[in-house]
Amino acid sequence: MEYREVIFNNRAEVFDFIKGLNEKSISPLEWAQRDNLYLYSCIFPDITIDCLFVYGKTITPTQIENMSKIGIFANLKTYGSSKRFKGLLNIKGETILDTSYDELSLFYQTEDSVFIKTKKKGLFGIVSYRHLSNKVDVIIPPKYEDIFDAGEFTFGFVENGLAGLISLSGKLITEAKYKVSSAYNHFFDGKALVCKDSKFAVAHYINHYGEFVAWEEDCQDNVFSGNGTGYYPYGELPDALDAYEGDESNYWNTD
């Protein structure tokens, strides 16, 4: 099962999308016609209608007046609220994540869960939704300057200009102490290349527990510079020129 996201640019696009869902659904999505409701996007799978709607809603001053106000708030002037804050609704129109975020977008997915990147007051977090569970879990509250896919079922995060790594469940792998760079902080074959942010720091590999594995140069020393395998089992790697009797011009001789 694979989820994707469609962004609604206007109410006409929402209407057309809901119309398509109504043709597949047992019960029509009448809740989508509410006047105070605004649908920004829908995150949905390719084989079921287990949809998640990113929504906002407008609360009028009259509605707020009808809510009880106590203590020092009793005499405050009442204002309405805009629909710009976003939350999540399920296919039944039920709230599964309150409207308290500036942005919500599909970020990552596994076989049984989708992970949604949240943004609030300029900081990022992650919430997860397990298929057909009708429940959203906050994995990372919105507290980081950025969050990125770090490969092999991990996330990277940026805090105070430095990168750290964290598992899909929110368990810390490393604190934020590494340089932020596309060359670092991404797992491949069980290890990630990282480098501390200091003048004399040397890039090295860590495992999924945040433990040191090897220096970058040690791994490079074992890499064959030609087009074959990255490992030569017979001692010191021979000089490629030996095969051409020491004559560089023979590189291009295919006879």
Side-chain angles (χ1 to χ4, degrees), residues 3-229:
Y3 277 75
R4 59 193 182 97
E5 183 175 20
V6 59
I7 308 295
F8 304 130
N9 296 305
N10 51 58
R11 287 192 175 275
E13 292 182 359
V14 174
F15 176 82
D16 290 341
F17 187 83
I18 296 298
K19 181 180 178 181
L21 287 180
N22 282 337
E23 294 174 355
K24 303 175 184 178
S25 178
I26 298 176
S27 302
L29 280 63
E30 296 179 352
W31 58 264
Q33 308 301 320
R34 296 199 296 259
D35 291 336
N36 68 336
L37 183 68
Y38 190 91
L39 299 180
Y40 292 96
S41 65
C42 181
I43 299 170
F44 62 100
D46 50 5
I47 59 175
T48 72
I49 56 172
D50 184 28
C51 301
L52 300 176
F53 290 92
V54 177
Y55 83 105
K57 62 182 178 180
T58 301
I59 301 176
T60 66
T62 302
Q63 289 174 312
I64 294 178
E65 280 290 356
N66 293 331
M67 301 176 188
S68 60
K69 294 187 290 185
I70 60 174
I72 62 173
F73 302 103
N75 298 318
L76 289 180
K77 187 175 180 179
T78 301
Y79 299 88
S81 69
S82 75
K83 56 182 175 290
R84 72 181 184 88
F85 294 109
K86 300 175 181 180
L88 289 174
L89 300 174
N90 63 15
I91 190 67
K92 298 178 182 179
E94 299 167 336
T95 298
I96 56 176
L97 185 67
D98 289 333
T99 52
S100 60
Y101 297 94
D102 299 321
E103 294 292 341
L104 295 169
S105 58
L106 179 62
F107 182 64
Y108 188 87
Q109 54 188 299
T110 62
E111 291 184 359
D112 61 357
S113 298
V114 291
F115 295 82
I116 296 169
K117 191 173 183 177
T118 65
K119 183 179 181 181
K120 186 174 184 178
K121 297 181 179 179
L123 299 176
F124 296 92
I126 295 288
V127 299
S128 71
Y129 171 78
R130 186 177 293 273
H131 305 328
L132 302 174
S133 69
N134 204 33
K135 180 184 178 184
V136 171
D137 295 312
V138 177
I139 304 300
I140 307 171
K143 62 179 182 178
Y144 294 125
E145 296 154 26
D146 194 15
I147 292 178
F148 56 92
D149 179 4
E152 296 186 346
F153 305 104
T154 63
F155 297 135
F157 63 91
V158 179
E159 185 177 35
N160 297 323
L162 298 175
L165 297 165
I166 198 167
S167 71
L168 297 190
S169 63
K171 184 178 180 180
L172 193 68
I173 298 173
T174 70
E175 61 186 18
K177 58 182 178 180
Y178 299 118
K179 292 179 180 179
V180 177
S181 169
S182 59
Y184 302 135
N185 314 308
H186 190 275
F187 280 99
F188 181 75
D189 283 346
K191 61 183 184 294
L193 183 64
V194 295
C195 186
K196 289 187 176 180
D197 188 32
S198 62
K199 184 177 181 179
F200 301 105
V202 178
H204 60 281
Y205 289 94
I206 60 173
N207 60 21
H208 280 268
Y209 297 99
E211 300 168 336
F212 173 86
V213 174
W215 299 109
E216 179 186 20
E217 60 183 19
D218 291 341
C219 292
Q220 290 178 340
D221 287 343
N222 290 326
V223 175
F224 179 63
S225 59
N227 293 323
T229 179

